[in-house]
Amino acid sequence: MTRTRFLMQTIAGAALPVLAFYGSFHLLPAMAEVLAPRGINAGTAQNTIIIVAGVIGAWLLLTAFLRRLRTVGELTIFAWIAIVPPALVLLVDGPVFLRPLLPMPELLRSGVYFVSAGIAVWIFVTGLVRSTR
């Protein structure tokens, strides 16, 4: 995978959930106005939009990280460690379902995010700096 493609796919994967969150947040009153007469809760629609965008964004990031790590000759397990644990924490303890499915201690949740973010930054920098072998 080329650096340019890696950069573009990484930006798209990181930006998509953020744009979906803020876009659906600002459109929530309009969604409520349209969906309420049909018996659909706008909050449920918003959560669905965020979950779908998050899954697509995580998939884009994971595939970009896997391809680029393989291209530069690094272990691909780092891509899985950078993406999967924070995604699972968000699903079971995050605000996605309006209440945590499995509450986690703050220190554990923060540790997962910190380690995964550090690995993701390392993958990103490695993917941009190192040339292919």
Side-chain angles (χ1 to χ4, degrees):
M1 171 180 260
T2 64
R3 288 180 186 159
T4 305
R5 184 172 176 194
F6 170 70
L7 180 63
M8 298 308 291
Q9 190 170 345
T10 303
I11 290 171
L16 181 65
V18 174
L19 292 174
F21 175 77
Y22 285 110
S24 65
F25 179 74
H26 289 293
L27 292 175
L28 191 59
M31 286 193 306
E33 189 176 305
V34 171
L35 296 175
R38 294 172 175 80
I40 301 171
N41 185 343
T44 304
Q46 180 186 26
N47 284 346
T48 304
I49 291 168
I50 293 168
I51 289 171
V52 169
V55 168
I56 294 170
W59 182 258
L60 285 171
L61 283 172
L62 183 62
T63 56
F65 286 177
L66 286 171
R67 288 179 185 160
R68 190 62 185 163
L69 286 174
R70 208 173 292 130
T71 301
V72 297
E74 291 289 340
L75 295 174
T76 57
I77 189 71
F78 293 118
W80 293 99
I81 295 171
I83 302 298
V84 174
L88 291 176
V89 169
L90 277 173
L91 282 177
V92 300
D93 190 37
V96 174
F97 297 110
L98 302 179
R99 64 182 174 88
L101 297 175
L102 178 67
M104 296 176 68
E106 181 67 32
L107 185 62
L108 178 62
R109 185 179 336 115
S110 298
V112 168
Y113 291 151
F114 183 75
V115 169
S116 296
I119 292 172
V121 168
W122 172 78
I123 293 170
F124 185 72
V125 171
T126 300
L128 291 180
V129 173
R130 287 185 53 189
S131 62
T132 58
R133 292 183 182 179

